[in-house]
Amino acid sequence: MAPKTKEQLEEIRKASRKVIMEAALELFGTRGYDGTSIEAIARKAGVAKGLIYNYFRSKEELLEQVVFEGFREFEPVIEQLLEIGDPRERLRQFIEISAQLIVEKERFYRLYTSTLLTIHTRKRLQKHIAEYFDRMLAELEKTLAEMGIEHPEVEAYTLSSLFDGLGLDYMIFGAENFPLRQIVENILKKYGLEDREAPDGSTSGNHISRANAERFNGNNTEPRIQTQQRGTP
Amino acid sequence: MAPKTKEQLEEIRKASRKVIMEAALELFGTRGYDGTSIEAIARKAGVAKGLIYNYFRSKEELLEQVVFEGFREFEPVIEQLLEIGDPRERLRQFIEISAQLIVEKERFYRLYTSTLLTIHTRKRLQKHIAEYFDRMLAELEKTLAEMGIEHPEVEAYTLSSLFDGLGLDYMIFGAENFPLRQIVENILKKYGLEDREAPDGSTSGNHISRANAERFNGNNTEPRIQTQQRGTP
Amino acid sequence: MAPKTKEQLEEIRKASRKVIMEAALELFGTRGYDGTSIEAIARKAGVAKGLIYNYFRSKEELLEQVVFEGFREFEPVIEQLLEIGDPRERLRQFIEISAQLIVEKERFYRLYTSTLLTIHTRKRLQKHIAEYFDRMLAELEKTLAEMGIEHPEVEAYTLSSLFDGLGLDYMIFGAENFPLRQIVENILKKYGLEDREAPDGSTSGNHISRANAERFNGNNTEPRIQTQQRGTP
Amino acid sequence: MAPKTKEQLEEIRKASRKVIMEAALELFGTRGYDGTSIEAIARKAGVAKGLIYNYFRSKEELLEQVVFEGFREFEPVIEQLLEIGDPRERLRQFIEISAQLIVEKERFYRLYTSTLLTIHTRKRLQKHIAEYFDRMLAELEKTLAEMGIEHPEVEAYTLSSLFDGLGLDYMIFGAENFPLRQIVENILKKYGLEDREAPDGSTSGNHISRANAERFNGNNTEPRIQTQQRGTP
DNA sequence: GATGAATGAGTGTTCATTCAT
DNA sequence: GATGAATGAACACTCATTCAT
């Protein structure tokens, strides 16, 4: 019961902030910003509603912070990527890591995508994400140019969109129903990049022969919707 | 003195329904379902709030109807597509038409994408969209198989995701800042499909040399945010 | 299609008015005034919403007219009752007829009772019902006085309240579960009035041995609520 | 700086809950359930509309809680009553207490009666009230049987209805215009039960010679409606 | 006489935010 | 730092009433 030291307080602050942001990431991602209440975030985080306002000025700021933090976590990965000298290896890593992030940061991807859709109403987020995009596209273009690929800018946009689409469909189909690993290998092959090892073994065993109708049903336990099945070769 | 005839009423109902669905499509797409109020839809449609409930039982049903209607408009295009005998031409048309739809049905695409993100909570929509996906993927796979492409199923998923991603980025970047036409031509080239003519000339002149920082600013008239520019080669 | 004569129009008006008031009586009685919408009344009456406003200035006026009409139907019965010379026979008839009205005018009774409860907010109805009450109580008191009963005014109030209570409980328990006929005979006996014949045979065969828990369940077909049963002797 | 203690919070919650239920009791009783808005309850309770939903999940639940609470307050009185060994004294007390409750719990009686009228749509309330009714009727019947009264079940129903009717008329006429005390004494006399002392002297001095026309005007301060007076003998 | 599309105030309910403790 | 009761604006939805035909 002795008064806490500054360091202890700082620890506490950090921990509380973290637990709130975790809950917010989860809920904003799955239910959308407007579909998530502060009450729900507080409940999931196990804190009182009022506490959230000790750390964030508003719900909007909480969203921003969660998104910013998500990008911040990408930083070291990207830095590392850019240090790779060989452009072919750099592209291979870029593709592998992008796929890996889709799997490992699914909650962030979901939030990021849904944020994109309403971004015109969120100025600060808009700026932040624009800068990130700019940078990624520029680096990607440079890499592709170094590899001697024609129209490297167009190709950069294409790859970038492809991964945005893969993230979207991966979320919608669910991990079990979307052949992400095979797609990635297919992409690598197109660029003539051998896939030496799958960085995440958990997705590489995907079978894509399941009825697609099941893929939307995600984790929920209710009886799956039956739609006409298509034959799988 | 007589009450309105059945035809007059039918006419009136159709028009009102239309104007409400138009407003809903626009707003659901740009602000999301939860971010759009019935009040706002009514205001945009120029009708009283209560009238919406003469035509739709609930906000949720309005969303469904707007989405269903959007898919319904695709039907004839898809039918026509499937009648093409030559698989190469069929794929070419598939790619062209998909791109065209991104441009011409931007509002629907926006709604469709944002709906996907929270789809697990909307059973009827889920079923509808799952069936659509199934069908598209199956046809695409068949086409690719006929063309002798390896792993046609993986390729079908890849193409499908690519177009989902293109739709997403096209919306985010804005038509003027996203080189959709060039990307499409690039895709066609990869499949060895010559682009005989662009079906929509309005987008083919895109220059992609503009500062990307501007691309997020879309149509809004507020002063554009300045971010660091990247060099264009 | 020849233009209708004045008499025909008058017929039509009367019929429409009637059908609306019937529907209103039913719904106001079972769901309460505030629980009943004009829409619902129109639907039950099989007419358009707007038509109701051709005959009644407002929902409130419709309520009034329905209540007034209900009292009006009592008039001839009461007139006839008051013409009976013998006070004993007059009381017997009063009791019998009151019970009969509970059964035959259940819908009106329901409406009348629920109206009583919120009567302080309905001035015109208040006046009307007060006059009716005054008159009934006065006549009842006179009858009881003629019979030589002590405290005829108190007795009149008591009898009046008893029948209000019987009406209430009859509605709540439901015809099948409330031994109205036996109660009436019991009352008659107390006043030394032999019950020569039951005016409504349909209720006289009541068995009161059913579990009381069932009596609230009325006509609905859902599984009945189980409450502890009490033994019936 | 510390958060409020559990005890303080409990205190606050209890007080708020109480003030809301008080207001609801008053308004539901006088205006009916559908005629009472949450807004009105909040205003009368002196709290914000939203607060009500901190304590009750819905308007319907608020109604239930108010009714349940009303019955709960009867419990000890009934318990005490049932412990009386002498059936004559028990009946006397039953009658006295019933009358007393009409006076002291007028607001609850009003609510209870108006609830009865629409009870078929409220399952939980229905069950609760059915059980209460069952119990009262069973005990009343037992008491009457012990007293050697003929047809005790019919008599129990009769007495029960009588008090329902007295409650109804007491509310409608208003305390000053309804000779409840005299009626009770009249009832007691019929069962040969001497009224040793009136438990509530305030009503015993009622004069019933006032113009009945006034009796509906209750407490409201608006100019009273004049209806024809009837002579008092 | 009769219709039903249209209106907008009002309803029950939710929720971001504040604040006393 | 942390709590949760309290607020009130905003929401989805309902409904009495109007009116052109």
Side-chain angles (χ1 to χ4, degrees), chain C residues 92-93 95-97 99-100 103-104 180-185 188 193-206:
Chain C
R92 201 186 67 79
Q93 288 281 358
I95 290 169
E96 287 288 8
I97 286 169
Q100 200 179 339
V103 175
E104 291 177 3
L180 181 59
R181 190 65 228 150
Q182 283 96 321
I183 292 170
V184 167
E185 281 165 19
L188 289 171
L193 305 164
E194 293 302 281
D195 177 37
R196 287 184 307 222
E197 70 171 316
D200 182 338
S202 70
T203 61
S204 60
N206 261 339

Side-chain angles (χ1 to χ4, degrees), chain C residues 11-50:
Chain C
E11 280 306 304
I12 290 171
R13 283 191 64 83
K14 250 182 167 162
S16 288
R17 208 182 141 86
K18 181 81 183 301
V19 76
I20 291 166
M21 287 177 75
E22 276 291 313
L25 171 57
E26 176 80 23
L27 293 175
F28 283 155
T30 50
R31 312 225 268 252
Y33 175 79
D34 289 303
T36 302
S37 70
I38 289 285
E39 170 81 39
I41 294 170
R43 203 166 36 237
K44 187 172 251 306
V47 301
K49 241 184 320 175

Side-chain angles (χ1 to χ4, degrees), chain C residues 83-115:
Chain C
E83 284 168 10
I84 298 172
D86 176 24
R88 285 172 49 84
E89 178 59 13
R90 205 188 304 135
L91 181 61
R92 201 186 67 79
Q93 288 281 358
F94 173 86
I95 290 169
E96 287 288 8
I97 286 169
S98 296
Q100 200 179 339
L101 290 176
I102 286 174
V103 175
E104 291 177 3
K105 302 277 181 188
E106 184 180 351
R107 294 184 314 171
F108 175 72
Y109 238 87
R110 199 178 276 276
L111 173 56
Y112 156 76
T113 309
S114 78
T115 302

Side-chain angles (χ1 to χ4, degrees), chain A residues 134 155 157 190 212 230, chain B residues 134 141 155 157 190 212:
Chain A
D134 270 348
E155 193 73 25
Y157 273 103
K190 290 184 188 193
N212 279 308
R230 70 188 175 88
Chain B
D134 270 349
E141 184 185 338
E155 193 73 27
Y157 273 102
K190 288 183 188 193
N212 280 306

Side-chain angles (χ1 to χ4, degrees), chain C:
Chain C
M1 290 299 180
K4 301 194 182 62
T5 66
K6 268 201 179 149
E7 289 74 20
Q8 281 175 314
L9 279 178
E10 188 57 28
E11 280 306 304
I12 290 171
R13 283 191 64 83
K14 250 182 167 162
S16 288
R17 208 182 141 86
K18 181 81 183 301
V19 76
I20 291 166
M21 287 177 75
E22 276 291 313
L25 171 57
E26 176 80 23
L27 293 175
F28 283 155
T30 50
R31 312 225 268 252
Y33 175 79
D34 289 303
T36 302
S37 70
I38 289 285
E39 170 81 39
I41 294 170
R43 203 166 36 237
K44 187 172 251 306
V47 301
K49 241 184 320 175
L51 190 63
I52 293 177
Y53 290 85
N54 275 13
Y55 296 98
F56 307 94
R57 291 232 274 269
S58 67
K59 190 186 176 186
E60 180 97 20
E61 201 200 84
L62 173 55
L63 171 67
E64 278 177 16
Q65 292 302 316
V66 172
V67 175
F68 290 171
E69 174 62 21
F71 278 114
R72 214 171 291 131
E73 289 179 15
F74 285 171
E75 279 304 323
V77 181
I78 292 168
E79 291 306 326
Q80 200 182 327
L81 192 66
L82 299 184
E83 284 168 10
I84 298 172
D86 176 24
R88 285 172 49 84
E89 178 59 13
R90 205 188 304 135
L91 181 61
R92 201 186 67 79
Q93 288 281 358
F94 173 86
I95 290 169
E96 287 288 8
I97 286 169
S98 296
Q100 200 179 339
L101 290 176
I102 286 174
V103 175
E104 291 177 3
K105 302 277 181 188
E106 184 180 351
R107 294 184 314 171
F108 175 72
Y109 238 87
R110 199 178 276 276
L111 173 56
Y112 156 76
T113 309
S114 78
T115 302
L116 283 183
L117 288 166
T118 53
I119 197 150
H120 290 111
T121 62
R122 306 227 157 78
K123 293 302 174 190
R124 270 205 300 270
L125 272 180
Q126 185 177 310
K127 181 162 179 248
H128 204 274
I129 294 182
E131 288 172 0
Y132 172 80
F133 248 95
D134 271 348
R135 192 165 151 223
M136 292 314 315
L137 274 171
E139 295 293 349
L140 196 49
E141 183 184 340
K142 187 160 72 79
T143 299
L144 293 164
E146 285 172 24
M147 285 172 66
I149 284 172
E150 265 187 77
H151 306 307
E153 184 164 27
V154 172
E155 193 72 27
Y157 272 103
T158 309
L159 253 180
S160 176
S161 285
L162 175 55
F163 275 96
D164 281 346
L166 289 177
L168 185 59
D169 289 351
Y170 179 83
M171 293 182 310
I172 295 160
F173 283 39
E176 324 81 32
N177 299 304
F178 192 68
L180 181 59
R181 190 65 228 150
Q182 283 96 321
I183 292 170
V184 167
E185 281 165 19
N186 197 27
I187 296 168
L188 289 171
K189 203 178 300 172
K190 288 184 188 192
Y191 289 103
L193 305 164
E194 293 302 281
D195 177 37
R196 287 184 307 222
E197 70 171 316
D200 182 338
S202 70
T203 61
S204 60
N206 261 339
H207 295 300
I208 57 173
S209 54
R210 300 178 185 206
N212 279 308
E214 289 198 15
R215 73 202 166 212
F216 281 101
N217 289 303
N219 297 322
N220 65 49
T221 54
E222 295 182 32
R224 312 228 153 174
I225 289 167
Q226 277 302 345
T227 66
Q228 74 218 37
Q229 305 206 349
R230 70 187 176 87
T232 38

Side-chain angles (χ1 to χ4, degrees), chain A residues 141-154:
Chain A
E141 184 185 340
K142 188 160 69 80
T143 298
L144 293 164
E146 285 173 23
M147 285 173 65
I149 284 172
E150 265 187 76
H151 307 307
E153 183 164 27
V154 172

Side-chain angles (χ1 to χ4, degrees), chain B residues 90-148:
Chain B
R90 205 188 306 136
L91 180 63
R92 201 187 67 79
Q93 287 279 358
F94 174 87
I95 291 168
E96 287 288 7
I97 286 169
S98 295
Q100 198 178 340
L101 289 176
I102 287 175
V103 175
E104 290 178 4
K105 302 278 180 187
E106 181 181 353
R107 293 184 316 169
F108 174 73
Y109 240 88
R110 199 177 277 276
L111 172 57
Y112 155 77
T113 309
S114 82
T115 301
L116 283 184
L117 287 167
T118 53
I119 197 152
H120 290 110
T121 63
R122 302 196 213 291
K123 293 299 172 191
R124 269 204 301 272
L125 273 180
Q126 187 176 311
K127 180 160 182 257
H128 204 275
I129 294 181
E131 287 173 359
Y132 172 80
F133 249 94
D134 270 349
R135 195 168 150 219
M136 294 311 327
L137 275 172
E139 295 292 348
L140 196 48
E141 184 185 338
K142 188 162 69 86
T143 300
L144 293 165
E146 286 173 23
M147 286 172 65

